[in-house]
Amino acid sequence: MRVKDNAAAQLKELGVEVRPGVSLAEKTSLAIGGTTDLLLLRRYETIPDVMRLLAGENIPHKFLGGGTNVLIADGELPWVALHLPTTQPGMRVEGNTAYVDASADLGGMVTFCAKRDLGGMEGLIGVPGSVGGALRMNAGAYGTQIGTHVREVELYRAATREIETLRGNDIRFDYRHTSFAPDDVMLRVKLELPSKPYKEILAGIRVCNEKRRASQPLNQKSAGCIFKNPPGGSAGKMIDELKLKGHRMGDAMVSDRHANFFVNAGHASCYDMLKLIDEVRERVRGAYGIELENEVIVWQN
Ligand code: EPU
């Protein structure tokens, strides 16, 4: 979708940089996604005004974080993409408290805190994406979930159309799900972390990195796990048992390393990936009577 000149001029006054006709395939870890205008929000305090402007001009939008857990439709997209560019360094530590911008890199946050002897997040080290995306999904791995450490979140709330601060206790963090509304925009987080010597944290990080390298296709284009694990079960194990590793739909392929990772093995389209997801879901339903739920977020036209 293209922003008209007069709206673009007003957006500029609010500190928004409009990049016309950007291929979102270049902004996602799956390297899949069509084209639209990308709006970089350089002054996040103007978000309420930006949202009012977009609503007034009838410009639909979606908020793109790190692009590592999203599957985006092909072609010319009927909405614009909003993005908070990274600020440097975007994080600081005071005692056992870390203050981190949502646009910061999740792994970068783990190492920044580790170097200041704050641990507890070792498991998150290899999870690609932004801190904001991790908060929204309650990202987790190897026994760590980001939600455990959250004390406050500053966000743009779609319900009130204002920037607000929520206390950690007032937010629900479940397995890959939170009580944030789909249109809420994460801005900053305050975390409380346990003290731990850097060396010990580093040892924990190494263990997680090794486990991840041994089981996940890290050098291929993916969005991590495609399906959530069903209660008490493992999506990857079921798909593997059905001998679907390496199964393809065009260039969309079930990883031959971890069956819950679907990779873009060339020039996969969103259409190919969605067909593969539906087919695998169908096969699992047929064999196990379990309906797998998407873990990846799908943005269709
Ligand atoms: N398994 C297989 N074949 C496979 C993949 C897995 O048999 O192809 C078996 C494993 O041997 C193991 C079980 O399935 O017995 C679970 O596998 P794994 O330890 O790899 O964990 P997972 O449940 O598949 C979850 C998260 C990952 C996270 C890892 C490590 C979900 C959907 N996935 O994977 O997160 O990195 O644990 O903690 O919860 C993601 O969210 O995108 C993601 C990759």
Side-chain angles (χ1 to χ4, degrees), residues 141-142 175-176 216 225 227 229 234 240 245 258-259 261 295:
Y142 305 113
Y175 167 63
R176 298 296 194 277
Q216 300 183 359
C225 285
F227 300 111
N229 283 332
S234 162
D240 192 357
K245 275 183 171 170
H258 191 299
F261 279 63
E295 201 264 350

Side-chain angles (χ1 to χ4, degrees), residues 52 136 146 160 167 175 179 183 211 224 235 244 247 262:
R52 262 189 291 276
R136 146 156 302 299
I146 192 166
T160 58
R167 286 182 314 156
Y175 167 63
S179 53
D183 293 349
K211 282 191 194 161
L244 289 171
H247 185 65
F262 291 13

Side-chain angles (χ1 to χ4, degrees), residues 43-90:
R43 297 207 318 260
Y44 82 65
E45 63 282 6
T46 65
I47 288 183
D49 294 330
V50 172
M51 295 303 196
R52 262 189 291 276
L53 176 64
L54 295 179
E57 297 283 331
N58 288 318
I59 302 173
H61 66 271
K62 297 199 184 285
F63 212 96
L64 183 69
T68 55
N69 196 41
V70 67
L71 171 59
I72 301 180
D74 308 309
E76 179 69 33
L77 302 165
W79 36 263
V80 298
L82 307 186
H83 181 69
L84 283 177
T86 324
T87 44
Q88 294 298 338

Side-chain angles (χ1 to χ4, degrees), residues 32 71-74 249 252 268-276:
I32 293 175
L71 171 59
I72 301 180
D74 308 309
M249 189 66 66
S269 62
C270 180
Y271 179 82
D272 294 333
M273 194 55 84
L274 286 172
K275 279 192 80 172
L276 185 64

